[in-house]
Amino acid sequence: MLENVERVPGDAILGLIQTFKADDNPNKVDLGVGVYRDENGQTPILESVREAEKTRLAKETTKAYIGSHGDPDFGEAVLKLVFGHNSPILAANRASATQAPGGTGALRLAGDFCRAQFPNASIWLPEPTWPNHIGVFNASGLPIKRYTYVDDDNHLDFAGMLADLKTAPAGDIVLLHASCHNPTGFDLNRDQWQQILDVVRERDVLPMIDFAYQGFGDGLEDDAYGLRLITESCGEALVTQSCSKNFGIYRERTGCLIAVAKNESAMQDVRSQLATVARGNYSNPPAHGAAIVSTILGSHDLRALWQDEVSAMRERIKKLRAAMVDALQPYGLDERFEYIANQRGMFSYTGLSSHQVERLKNDYSIYMVSSGRANIAGLQQDNLDYVASAISDVVEEE
Ligand code: LMR
């Protein structure tokens, strides 16, 4: 039987990790996979995480299962981080967190849950979106529809987004990126969030909000603005949350699916189903990352240290955005690429074509996703000019 299995190409984003490693050009630049990098190109373990790990090592007494909903301390701490300490949703006990293996695991839980509970529903994804959204929801068997997000000139097409969402039938699910849109870096402003809220209510669709980058855009509170507006006003929502980026614990697979229901009893009903979905997938989530997060968020000092570390990561990316546009100025490209400075989070949709991306890789060992997505955190002060000059070379050909 196995001899008849067809070979398929690997995942395009994860594949870049291997191709980059194998490149022996000393000037190579990795703007591919979405992990934060410091000025030395490293993805560091945060100091707050190291301290939390020490504490856990000293205190941990068992490796027994943690249950399908995961670590309750983690769940409680993340609910407060996502909704805020004074959240009316939390006060009314209408939200439940089910820990999952990373944000991807939370998306899969959400996809499987929606497919089982709402067999006629489709999920609306932005065009473009994180490519693995498509992989995950296909795996759940959830039909996918798309709404416009970016126009031909590589700017946010909010009018197109609204127009498409206004055609969504009641009972469908609409996935929204809370902040730091992956892959474009184009986020909604407060007025636009309000208009999205109006459409979501008018169309009676279920919002699913992907929250993978809290703290990487404008701050831990600001990045939650749209999410809080929608969840507080709509009564029902799903939130897929990730700790990979803001705690830098990518490989610990830590995140959760949050369900917000109209009342506590409905929330408990949903929660019971989510445990069943989790059980059928992986039974129990991994414990270590959640223990790190709950230790940090539960300690006054570690939390303060972590907040400083998140701010430092965010500010570094923001500085690099402005510096990249400055570096493009001598080539007369600063106006064209001005949006790089205004986008948010790690990613920039550069507007470069897949052919140009290919040339950057082949001629300069500069790696980005073929859609033209660049991980800005992969830049360093001393390679900005190298990257700017390479970009100017590949766009000259147009
Ligand atoms: C990315 O978009 O590069 C990250 O979220 C990593 C991944 O799993 O694709």
Side-chain angles (χ1 to χ4, degrees):
M1 282 156 77
L2 297 185
E3 69 198 20
N4 296 323
V5 175
E6 190 193 337
R7 188 180 302 189
V8 292
D11 179 85
I13 295 181
L14 298 183
L16 283 174
I17 301 175
Q18 303 313 326
T19 332
F20 180 80
K21 251 191 203 155
D23 188 334
D24 53 16
N25 181 345
N27 297 325
K28 64 185 180 178
V29 183
D30 186 358
L31 309 180
V33 69
V35 294
Y36 176 79
R37 292 183 198 286
D38 63 17
E39 192 49 33
N40 303 314
Q42 301 303 317
T43 303
I45 300 177
L46 301 185
E47 206 44 50
S48 53
V49 168
R50 279 200 194 281
E51 287 304 316
E53 283 185 309
K54 279 189 211 152
T55 311
R56 296 305 298 191
L57 192 62
K59 281 199 185 154
E60 194 167 48
T61 54
T62 179
K63 295 285 186 191
Y65 296 121
I66 56 174
S68 288
H69 290 294
D71 176 346
D73 293 342
F74 166 81
E76 212 176 294
V78 170
L79 285 175
K80 286 190 188 136
L81 185 65
V82 168
F83 294 114
H85 283 262
N86 301 321
S87 161
I89 294 174
L90 299 186
N93 213 9
R94 296 199 288 114
S96 142
T98 299
Q99 192 191 316
T104 310
L107 286 160
R108 182 61 192 271
L109 262 187
D112 288 2
F113 167 79
C114 289
R115 180 67 187 149
Q117 296 301 318
F118 317 122
N120 299 321
S122 296
I123 185 157
W124 291 69
L125 305 177
E127 173 67 63
T129 196
W130 180 50
N132 205 30
H133 278 148
I134 298 159
V136 168
F137 295 125
N138 273 338
S140 291
L142 205 54
I144 293 173
K145 293 180 186 162
R146 306 304 294 268
Y147 64 86
T148 306
Y149 200 71
V150 164
D151 65 19
D152 292 341
D153 291 334
N154 198 39
H155 289 92
L156 174 70
D157 183 357
F158 186 66
M161 176 183 185
L162 268 191
D164 288 347
L165 290 181
K166 279 183 180 164
T167 68
D172 269 4
I173 303 143
V174 172
L175 183 134
L176 301 162
H177 294 230
S179 62
C180 309
H181 183 274
N182 180 4
T184 69
F186 293 122
D187 282 353
L188 304 183
N189 63 32
R190 293 186 173 204
D191 175 55
Q192 289 166 332
W193 274 113
Q194 183 60 48
Q195 294 183 61
I196 293 296
L197 168 65
D198 295 343
V199 177
V200 165
R201 277 168 147 176
E202 180 191 305
R203 305 304 300 174
D204 201 14
V205 290
L206 179 68
M208 184 191 292
I209 305 180
D210 195 358
F211 202 17
Y213 295 92
Q214 186 173 8
F216 269 44
D218 287 315
L220 290 165
E221 297 300 307
D222 284 349
D223 290 353
Y225 176 84
L227 178 149
R228 291 179 188 170
L229 178 75
I230 301 270
T231 50
E232 283 171 21
S233 315
C234 285
E236 292 187 341
L238 298 175
V239 176
T240 53
Q241 186 271 352
S242 171
C243 299
S244 296
K245 279 84 181 176
N246 51 11
F247 288 85
I249 50 172
Y250 305 84
R251 61 174 64 174
E252 303 300 352
R253 311 311 299 136
T254 310
C256 66
L257 173 58
I258 298 170
V260 180
K262 287 193 176 138
N263 54 55
E264 181 174 354
S265 162
M267 179 273 280
Q268 292 295 354
D269 296 342
V270 173
R271 188 172 163 83
S272 71
Q273 293 286 349
L274 291 176
T276 308
V277 180
R279 178 70 168 148
N281 265 309
Y282 49 79
S283 188
N284 283 236
H288 187 66
I292 293 171
V293 171
S294 63
T295 303
I296 293 175
L297 296 180
S299 146
H300 179 269
D301 292 351
L302 287 184
R303 189 188 181 103
L305 174 60
W306 170 71
Q307 285 179 347
D308 286 348
E309 292 184 296
V310 175
S311 301
M313 291 191 280
R314 178 178 63 248
E315 293 310 320
R316 177 168 182 277
I317 297 169
K318 276 193 179 170
K319 270 195 198 122
L320 282 169
R321 287 186 172 283
M324 187 68 231
V325 178
D326 286 350
L328 286 159
Q329 196 255 335
Y331 303 94
L333 292 172
D334 48 328
E335 271 180 35
R336 168 173 171 172
F337 288 102
E338 200 182 4
Y339 45 69
I340 294 179
N342 302 324
Q343 292 160 329
R344 283 288 174 274
M346 276 199 291
F347 303 119
S348 170
Y349 218 39
T350 57
L352 295 173
S353 68
S354 57
H355 171 69
Q356 290 166 331
V357 169
E358 195 62 19
R359 276 205 58 209
L360 285 175
K361 179 177 83 178
N362 295 339
D363 299 353
Y364 298 95
S365 297
I366 296 173
Y367 290 77
M368 53 177 83
V369 182
S370 63
S371 62
R373 187 194 83 173
N375 175 14
I376 295 294
L379 293 166
Q380 291 159 25
Q381 288 301 330
D382 60 8
N383 64 22
L384 283 171
D385 189 52
Y386 177 67
V387 173
S389 128
I391 290 178
S392 121
D393 184 28
V394 302
V395 301
E396 229 167 56
E397 213 190 43
E398 279 169 3

